[in-house]
Amino acid sequence: DSTIYDMSDNDFWLIQDFHITAPDGGELWYIGQTNTVRWDSPGPAIYDLGSPAALWFSNNGGTNWFEITRPANAIGNNQYLWGTPSNDARLVSENAKMGVSIPDVSDPVTALFGDESDGTFVMAGIVVTYPTAGIGIKMGNPVDVSWNAAGAGTMGVRIDFYNGVGWTNLTMNAPCVAGSNSFNTILTAPNPTEGAKIMITANEYPAVWGVSSDFTLADINILTPKGGTPAERDHWQVGTTNLITWTAGGAGNLVDIEYSPDGTSWVTIATAYTNINSGASVITNTAPPWVVPGPPSSNSYIRIRSVSQPSLYAVTLPFDMAGVQITAPNGGEIWEFTTTNDVTWLFQGAGANIDIRLAYVDNPTSNDFELIDSNINILSGRRPVAPSKVRRPTNFGRIRINSTTMPMFDVS
């Protein structure tokens, strides 16, 4: 007879351990969001487990655990607003569990009074695991972009690359499974940068995405002089002052700067010169003003090398050191007054013809040079000077050759 009953005269306690109430199985949580962990703590006071409690996370269904925080704990219902990190790859899981225990134990399952979620839940997200903060990647080299994913669906992911200036797409459909993934690619940019990023977005569920921390796209990019084909290269005139400029990322604070007239022998322009690496904005470095020394060459190069990372360097494509340069006589020779002697020269980008002049006085000015031959084909590189061209003996002979169409000359 249900009308006949009795009730306890007062409340009593059902003594229990901690008890996780959320997440308790089947939930869909996201990294990067605030998720509410709820648990009950037993009482009355004589059974109080104290404060704080320890909250735990498992990404493999409760086999392994790591502690995430120690929030305040009180008898009865408790909650913790967990600002779930967006860059911790350990949290991304489709087989996740939460646990609660007293502090200073090895895990919530074997600990006295501990508890774990009754079932698994999904902690959805994507965390880029490579490249990571501070990593340096050589521009143009192959690299495996790696990430952990959960809750990303089955339609692959889009991968985008921030090159320090703007975003570019690497692929629209890289394969992606729950767990670890990778995609091989080559990262290039207009300039090196210390502010590069990778962003990965699930195609099926765009709310599942992740972006890397800043990393370095390491390189040195020489802006001037510009090398290349004869039509596109710079023509820097011998004897003029020019500025070598470059951008860099991950190249350290100092660089060595060299030039070569032939691509084989190298001559120092500056050593341990200050270098500023580009980050969020592109920074152009400028070397000390350089007076182009010659010899004239169509096969000239500039090389800039990191002092701290000697394997990191850049070399221009060939550019022109334009001009004319006397190779003989160039000091110390003796010409017999009654014999034919040769004037020889090097040239690059100096027009089609040259004039040859001779001075007879020490420290001659331009007015002291007398014309002895004119409109000589520059391609010959050599001109015999007959005795009839020489007016008198001298101990101070100087030869000057000049282009007939361009403001280029040299004096022996």
Side-chain angles (χ1 to χ4, degrees):
D1 186 344
S2 61
T3 62
I4 301 173
Y5 66 90
D6 189 27
M7 182 182 296
S8 302
D9 292 337
N10 288 291
D11 295 340
F12 67 98
W13 288 88
L14 292 172
I15 303 302
Q16 62 177 36
D17 300 333
F18 283 115
H19 179 59
I20 285 278
T21 57
D24 208 28
E27 293 88 350
L28 175 60
W29 284 7
Y30 293 89
I31 62 171
Q33 296 186 358
T34 298
N35 298 288
T36 303
V37 183
R38 292 184 170 89
W39 71 98
D40 293 335
S41 184
I46 60 171
Y47 299 108
D48 185 3
L49 297 179
S51 184
L55 293 183
W56 301 76
F57 187 86
S58 171
N59 55 25
N60 56 8
T63 301
N64 302 102
W65 295 89
F66 59 91
E67 186 177 329
I68 59 170
T69 190
R70 293 186 177 185
N73 179 68
I75 294 171
N77 299 327
N78 295 269
Q79 69 175 28
Y80 173 69
L81 300 179
W82 182 25
T84 311
S86 61
N87 58 356
D88 189 341
R90 300 176 301 168
L91 299 176
V92 176
S93 173
E94 295 187 359
N95 196 29
K97 280 190 171 185
M98 292 293 298
V100 60
S101 73
I102 60 175
D104 302 318
V105 296
S106 60
D107 64 77
V109 176
T110 61
L112 289 174
F113 314 116
D115 188 37
E116 62 177 323
S117 306
D118 289 343
T120 61
F121 69 99
V122 175
M123 182 67 84
I126 291 173
V127 175
V128 179
T129 55
Y130 189 88
T132 53
I135 288 291
I137 294 175
K138 180 75 164 61
M139 188 187 298
N141 283 0
V143 59
D144 284 326
V145 174
S146 303
W147 67 97
N148 283 7
T154 59
M155 297 174 60
V157 294
R158 167 184 178 139
I159 304 178
D160 296 293
F161 168 58
Y162 183 73
N163 59 19
V165 178
W167 290 94
T168 60
N169 180 252
L170 299 177
T171 179
M172 292 297 296
N173 192 25
C176 180
V177 299
S180 299
N181 301 267
S182 67
F183 176 78
N184 186 265
T185 189
I186 292 176
L187 302 179
T188 59
N191 294 288
T193 178
E194 294 183 336
K197 296 181 180 73
I198 293 289
M199 181 167 62
I200 303 176
T201 307
N203 289 326
E204 188 172 354
Y205 302 113
V208 178
W209 64 282
V211 63
S212 72
S213 299
D214 288 359
F215 63 92
T216 298
L217 193 60
D219 205 2
I220 299 170
N221 181 25
I222 301 174
L223 304 178
T224 57
K226 180 182 179 182
T229 66
E232 64 188 12
R233 68 176 59 178
D234 282 337
H235 309 275
W236 283 6
Q237 185 175 330
V238 174
T240 63
T241 300
N242 295 270
L243 296 178
I244 299 167
T245 62
W246 72 96
T247 58
N253 299 324
L254 301 171
V255 294
D256 293 334
I257 306 171
E258 303 167 292
Y259 82 94
S260 173
D262 54 17
T264 301
S265 56
W266 293 91
V267 181
T268 297
I269 297 174
T271 58
Y273 189 74
T274 299
N275 174 69
I276 302 176
N277 293 294
S278 296
S281 59
V282 176
I283 298 172
T284 299
N285 296 277
T286 303
W290 182 49
V291 179
V292 180
S297 170
S298 62
N299 201 36
S300 305
Y301 300 86
I302 294 292
R303 181 169 68 190
I304 301 178
R305 185 190 300 272
S306 166
V307 171
S308 61
Q309 302 177 67
S311 62
L312 181 59
Y313 64 90
V315 180
T316 63
L317 293 172
F319 70 99
D320 288 344
M321 287 198 287
V324 291
Q325 185 175 54
I326 298 169
T327 55
N330 207 30
E333 297 91 341
I334 297 176
W335 279 12
E336 293 291 337
F337 186 73
T338 58
T339 62
T340 297
N341 298 278
D342 287 341
V343 175
T344 61
W345 61 89
L346 300 174
F347 63 93
Q348 176 60 40
N353 298 292
I354 60 168
D355 293 336
I356 301 178
R357 289 175 166 80
L358 174 62
Y360 298 88
V361 297
D362 193 17
N363 298 318
T365 67
S366 58
N367 292 330
D368 294 318
F369 287 93
E370 302 174 10
L371 183 68
I372 60 175
D373 229 331
S374 62
N375 288 316
I376 302 159
N377 188 335
I378 198 171
L379 296 177
S380 65
R382 173 182 174 275
R383 186 69 171 181
V385 178
S388 60
K389 301 282 187 178
V390 180
R391 186 168 56 82
R392 66 178 178 86
T394 179
N395 291 330
F396 303 108
R398 289 286 188 93
I399 291 289
R400 171 183 167 128
I401 62 175
N402 61 271
S403 167
T404 60
T405 57
M406 304 182 74
M408 298 181 183
F409 70 93
D410 189 33
V411 176
S412 63

